[in-house]
Amino acid sequence: MRVTKAIKAEQLRILEKTYFDAKPALEYSNDFELLVAVVLSAQCTDERVNIVTRRIFPELNTPAAMLSIGVKKLEMLIKDCGLYKSKANNLIKTCDILVHQYKGEVPHEFEQLIELPGVGRKTANVVVSVLYGTPAIAVDTHVFRVSNRLKLGVASTPEEMELKLQKAIPKDKWSAAHHWLIYHGRRLCKARKPLCGECMLAHVCPSAGKVV
DNA sequence: CTCCCGATAT
DNA sequence: ATATCAGGAG
């Protein structure tokens, strides 16, 4: 199947119709909490992140509070999320910067966010999109896999995919499309065993039934 | 490219 | 047993 511009538009139309109510799965009650939750979500399910954050956010809901407990305690608290030494180290460093350079606030600009330790393009895009309404397409493992399968965008790196998707998707749909693709990746277009048999996109998907 | 890493699904 | 999970840094 050759994925033309018209087919991509049809893919997006179906995704929107199916996942119109898609929203962030991570739980948070302020800007700082969302930033922390997204950092913790690297190579970890959102469900597990929520279990951990429900336990720690009542105490650690500000960068000053998190900074004060130190790396070792933070490591123990977030251990269940995996990659815990890097994440704890990065979070403490980020908290230090937020407290001393941003008055304890989470910066609003992508260029500022991406300079924070442990914050890359994906995390920065989620923050500006979810918190500040800036059009952005955060390319995580689901967005990358699903987009490549649909050939909505074809890329070998997340950053390349981000650029391809920005061209394939109308700007006013960027942030929503990010959530459509994640929901689709979780529910049907799974990494291991995609459910092409019950997929509403199968007739416009060049990979339908072909994924090992 | 490798390393970080525990929990879960298959 | 192995692949994968809202990645990022060296």
Side-chain angles (χ1 to χ4, degrees):
Chain A
M1 178 188 302
R2 223 183 81 77
V3 180
T4 61
K5 212 161 186 174
I7 292 187
K8 293 182 185 182
E10 176 66 2
Q11 292 173 339
L12 291 168
R13 191 189 67 76
I14 297 171
L15 284 167
E16 179 168 25
K17 188 177 72 173
T18 308
Y19 304 111
F20 63 93
D21 60 344
K23 59 184 190 317
L26 295 170
E27 298 170 5
Y28 65 98
S29 55
N30 64 38
D31 294 0
F32 174 68
E33 290 187 2
L34 176 72
L35 175 62
V36 173
V38 179
V39 169
L40 291 179
S41 71
Q43 295 295 290
C44 179
T45 61
D46 59 302
E47 192 178 347
R48 178 139 302 279
V49 172
N50 288 334
I51 292 173
V52 169
T53 56
R54 282 199 285 265
R55 193 167 64 227
I56 68 173
F57 280 165
E59 300 290 330
L60 307 178
N61 60 347
T62 67
M66 186 169 286
L67 184 58
S68 71
I69 71 162
V71 194
K72 285 304 173 186
K73 281 187 181 175
L74 187 57
E75 279 184 10
M76 291 305 109
L77 291 171
I78 67 172
K79 199 166 196 170
D80 288 353
C81 292
L83 309 180
Y84 64 94
K85 289 185 180 176
S86 326
K87 289 175 182 174
N89 192 35
N90 286 329
L91 282 172
I92 292 294
K93 285 181 180 171
T94 286
C95 287
D96 189 84
I97 295 173
L98 294 184
V99 168
H100 295 107
Q101 296 182 29
Y102 293 103
K103 301 177 180 176
E105 304 286 313
V106 176
H108 289 219
E109 299 302 321
F110 179 87
E111 290 73 18
Q112 298 174 310
L113 287 161
I114 206 169
E115 290 302 318
L116 299 170
V119 178
R121 295 192 67 86
K122 182 262 174 177
T123 300
N125 275 322
V126 170
V127 170
V128 299
S129 163
V130 172
L131 292 183
Y132 311 129
T134 306
I137 302 177
V139 178
D140 61 38
T141 181
H142 296 300
V143 173
F144 187 70
R145 179 184 67 254
V146 174
S147 299
N148 265 322
R149 284 179 179 169
L150 286 170
K151 295 194 190 303
L152 180 58
V154 180
S156 56
T157 69
E159 185 167 356
E160 185 191 0
M161 181 63 81
E162 189 181 330
L163 298 176
K164 294 285 186 66
L165 292 180
Q166 286 177 350
K167 292 181 179 178
I169 302 172
K171 192 168 186 175
D172 63 313
K173 304 281 189 181
W174 284 3
S175 298
H178 157 76
H179 286 109
W180 305 338
L181 291 166
I182 288 182
Y183 266 50
H184 190 59
R186 285 202 184 115
R187 297 177 178 183
L188 292 173
C189 199
K190 298 192 276 188
R192 192 88 80 100
K193 201 184 76 176
L195 307 177
C196 301
E198 49 187 279
C199 181
M200 72 297 293
L201 288 164
H203 63 293
V204 285
C205 178
S207 306
K210 296 179 183 176
V211 180
V212 287

